[in-house]
Amino acid sequence: VLGNSLDFVTRLNKLQEFLTSVRSFKGLGQLDLEVDALQSLSEEFDRAAYRISSRTYDPLDVQNEEFDADFVTFKDTVRQLELALVSHLGDALETSSSVVDAFDLMNQFEGILRSSTSTEVDFGRHYTTIVDRFINELKEVRAIYEAHKNSPGVSRNTPPAAGAILWSRNLLRRIEVPMKKLSQINSSAKILQGYKQAVKLYNRIARCLITYEELWVAGWAETVHAAKEGLQATLLVKHPDNGQILVNFDPAILRLIRETKCLVRIGVSNVPESAQLVTLQEQKFKKYHDELNMLLQEYQNAIDLVIPSCAKIVQPHLYEVEQRIRPGLTLLTWQSMNIDGFVSLVRASVSRLSELLKRISDTIEHRVEGNLRAISRTILVDLPDDESFTLSQFVQRQQDSVQRQSQIINNKNMDIEQALHDVMRMSLSSSSGNVDGAGGSSIEHEVAMETSIQTLFSHYERRAYAAILNAIKSSMTALKKRLAS
């Protein structure tokens, strides 16, 4: 009875070993078995396990020796497979691309080979090799940090603070994942030589990288106040050299907004609230910046339309627009509440000025300058090349021609005078009154306007005289050439 009991216990132990092996080698399906020999052995193991599990005999029957024969075959297959796996493990670890891959390989193979009773596997030696690789990688990361901490590699279009923080986080991530793998290995491997050194070196480098990020955030936060000072600047400013009016928007505000958005996006938690409030107004600032730029461009285009001879007569209108713009140069800042009203007033004034100057320009060009050019080109005498006549006929012919051309010139002069009166009426009718006392008293304003009108008429009187004089000279030259021919 005792012998049968011992045989039964032995049979149970064999069954337990069989089931344990089958359970352990289920992990083979998760391995990337690219080696033909391993694939062949894995298939042989499946056949051996199937041979036992598919038998019809009772495996608990100790009198049945077929199980013992099948188990011997199974054990031999298991041993060959374990030896092949141990060899493959060594090769795979040597060719693994990173420490993380090496740890993953160890986890996969250890789950299969840890329960082996027939093959000695020196996991400690493999873990020591991996830990040494990890220590070397830690030292490499430390060297990179020391070499580039003052000028970290920042990707294109990334602001300085966010770029430096991303750089340090990438270094930390490079050592953080392997460290997590190392901390998950079994406790027996943690007593290996090099483990404590790796942990100590990791802690030192990680602490250094975290401090580096904190210093960058703190340093950037100190610049926020200075950058916000740009919002206290006036909306507009005059160029110190040529006096041209420009939009006075500090580029530091855009840099602040861009930096804040990047820092929030990458998960920095202690971004100053004041910087976030400025960032929330980004679209408003950009809208005002674009509108003011467009207004100033329209204003400059209108000024370019001013004809020098009419500069004084349109001066009150230019002064009116300047007065509308003045609050943007002296009072309104980027944090003012009435910027929209300011923009609307300036836009209306610039629009009126532009329309007036276009009408004046068209009138002067087509009705004044055009007629002056026509007068200047007029030939007073009639000198046909294909006719001959007596002296009395010649004199009478020239008198008639001079009379006709004089009438034409007189009509053009009257048209010029009427055009100048129209220009005067345009200027007076388009005036919207004084703005903040522009132009002084009404009497002074009337005197100034009368003087401007007299100057305008005097200018074109001289131009008309010069045009008529040129017509007379051209006519005399033509007459001289005809008589000499």
Side-chain angles (χ1 to χ4, degrees):
V1 175
L2 182 59
N4 289 336
S5 298
L6 291 175
D7 290 341
F8 186 73
V9 170
T10 300
R11 179 61 61 86
L12 288 177
N13 289 334
K14 289 181 179 180
L15 284 171
Q16 182 180 8
E17 185 176 349
F18 168 74
L19 294 174
T20 300
S21 296
V22 171
R23 185 167 56 250
S24 298
F25 280 97
K26 280 184 178 180
L28 281 174
Q30 301 175 358
L31 297 179
D32 186 14
L33 300 178
E34 297 179 353
V35 182
D36 292 340
L38 284 176
Q39 292 179 345
S40 177
L41 287 170
S42 176
E43 294 170 359
E44 182 63 30
F45 171 81
D46 292 338
R47 286 193 294 270
Y50 179 76
R51 188 179 301 115
I52 293 178
S53 60
S54 62
R55 293 293 192 181
T56 56
Y57 56 69
D58 182 4
L60 296 178
D61 183 4
V62 296
Q63 303 298 324
N64 188 341
E65 296 180 355
E66 288 184 49
F67 174 81
D68 293 325
D70 291 338
F71 184 72
V72 169
T73 303
F74 176 77
K75 283 280 289 182
D76 184 60
T77 302
V78 168
R79 177 171 176 75
Q80 292 180 41
L81 183 56
E82 287 177 344
L83 290 173
L85 287 174
V86 170
S87 175
H88 180 67
L89 173 60
D91 295 338
L93 290 176
E94 287 182 5
T95 58
S96 59
S97 59
S98 67
V99 175
V100 175
D101 290 341
F103 274 122
D104 289 339
L105 281 171
M106 283 297 296
N107 288 335
Q108 292 174 342
F109 279 87
E110 191 174 8
I112 297 173
L113 299 174
R114 178 63 68 179
S115 60
S116 173
T117 58
S118 58
T119 305
E120 287 289 336
V121 184
D122 190 359
F123 290 107
R125 178 175 63 84
H126 292 308
Y127 273 121
T128 300
T129 301
I130 298 174
V131 170
D132 289 341
R133 284 183 62 181
F134 182 42
I135 291 174
N136 290 334
E137 188 161 339
L138 288 170
K139 291 178 179 178
E140 183 180 346
V141 169
R142 181 176 62 184
I144 293 173
Y145 170 76
E146 293 295 338
H148 301 286
K149 62 182 179 181
N150 294 326
S151 56
V154 178
S155 60
R156 187 178 180 183
N157 295 328
T158 303
I165 291 171
L166 284 173
W167 175 76
S168 66
R169 285 186 177 182
N170 286 334
L171 290 180
L172 181 60
R173 192 178 300 113
R174 180 174 170 179
I175 62 175
E176 197 172 34
V177 177
M179 187 62 211
K180 287 181 180 179
K181 297 288 185 180
L182 181 62
S183 64
Q184 293 170 359
I185 64 176
N186 59 70
S187 56
S188 61
K190 292 182 179 179
I191 63 174
L192 295 172
Q193 181 181 3
Y195 178 82
K196 290 184 178 180
Q197 179 187 356
V199 173
K200 186 182 296 184
L201 185 57
Y202 167 81
N203 288 336
R204 188 182 301 121
I205 296 173
R207 192 182 308 114
C208 188
L209 291 172
I210 292 172
T211 303
Y212 180 82
E213 175 177 334
E214 292 173 349
L215 289 174
W216 261 101
V217 174
W220 172 77
E222 292 178 358
T223 67
V224 171
H225 180 72
K228 282 184 61 184
E229 289 295 322
L231 295 176
Q232 302 299 327
T234 56
L235 296 177
L236 306 172
V237 67
K238 283 189 175 182
H239 194 283
D241 296 330
N242 56 25
Q244 183 180 359
I245 300 176
L246 305 171
V247 178
N248 188 25
F249 190 72
D250 191 349
I253 300 299
L254 292 179
R255 290 196 294 268
L256 170 64
I257 292 173
R258 190 157 160 263
E259 192 81 76
T260 302
K261 290 169 67 177
C262 287
L263 290 175
V264 171
R265 191 180 301 121
I266 64 178
V268 175
S269 58
N270 51 340
V271 175
E273 184 177 355
S274 58
Q276 297 187 53
L277 290 175
V278 173
T279 303
L280 290 175
Q281 302 177 76
E282 176 186 9
Q283 296 305 318
K284 181 183 75 172
F285 293 143
K286 287 184 175 180
K287 169 178 169 266
Y288 289 150
H289 179 271
D290 293 342
E291 287 182 347
L292 290 171
N293 263 328
M294 186 178 298
L295 274 179
L296 292 179
Q297 184 59 52
E298 291 175 359
Y299 177 54
Q300 186 59 47
N301 292 341
I303 291 177
D304 292 340
L305 292 173
V306 176
I307 299 173
S309 59
C310 300
K312 289 186 178 181
I313 202 171
V314 298
Q315 187 60 41
H317 303 280
L318 296 174
Y319 186 82
E320 177 185 340
V321 177
E322 289 175 1
Q323 290 299 101
R324 294 296 187 193
I325 292 175
R326 188 178 298 278
L329 292 165
T330 57
L331 297 175
L332 297 176
T333 69
W334 293 95
Q335 291 184 320
S336 298
M337 302 296 293
N338 54 339
I339 298 178
D340 287 318
F342 166 75
V343 171
S344 296
L345 285 174
V346 174
R347 182 181 288 114
S349 294
V350 171
S351 178
R352 286 196 301 270
L353 176 65
S354 180
E355 183 180 354
L356 171 64
L357 293 176
K358 285 179 181 177
R359 289 165 58 198
I360 291 176
S361 177
D362 289 343
T363 301
I364 294 296
E365 174 61 27
H366 298 293
R367 295 177 59 189
V368 177
E369 295 292 342
N371 281 327
L372 288 174
R373 287 191 294 270
I375 292 173
S376 181
R377 293 193 297 265
T378 300
I379 302 298
L380 299 174
V381 293
D382 183 11
L383 303 170
D385 294 333
D386 55 350
E387 291 184 33
S388 60
F389 28 71
T390 64
L391 177 59
S392 59
Q393 290 175 333
F394 176 77
V395 171
Q396 183 62 44
R397 191 181 189 108
Q398 303 315 312
Q399 287 177 345
D400 294 342
S401 177
V402 169
Q403 186 175 2
R404 286 195 306 274
Q405 297 301 328
S406 297
Q407 184 62 41
I408 293 174
I409 291 175
N410 185 56
N411 292 337
K412 292 186 180 298
N413 273 326
M414 293 177 62
D415 192 18
I416 291 173
E417 184 178 359
Q418 183 61 45
L420 292 177
H421 281 291
D422 290 344
V423 168
M424 178 184 66
R425 281 192 291 271
M426 289 178 201
S427 179
L428 293 175
S429 63
S430 297
S431 177
S432 61
N434 296 340
V435 180
D436 298 333
S441 67
S442 59
I443 296 177
E444 292 175 347
H445 178 68
E446 289 177 4
V447 171
M449 282 299 297
E450 185 175 347
T451 302
S452 299
I453 292 170
Q454 290 176 355
T455 301
L456 178 65
F457 274 83
S458 297
H459 171 76
Y460 281 107
E461 284 175 1
R462 293 191 296 271
R463 292 285 306 281
Y465 174 80
I468 294 173
L469 183 60
N470 189 69
I472 294 172
K473 288 181 178 180
S474 299
S475 300
M476 296 301 292
T477 301
L479 180 60
K480 180 180 178 181
K481 288 182 178 180
R482 182 71 175 85
L483 292 175
S485 63

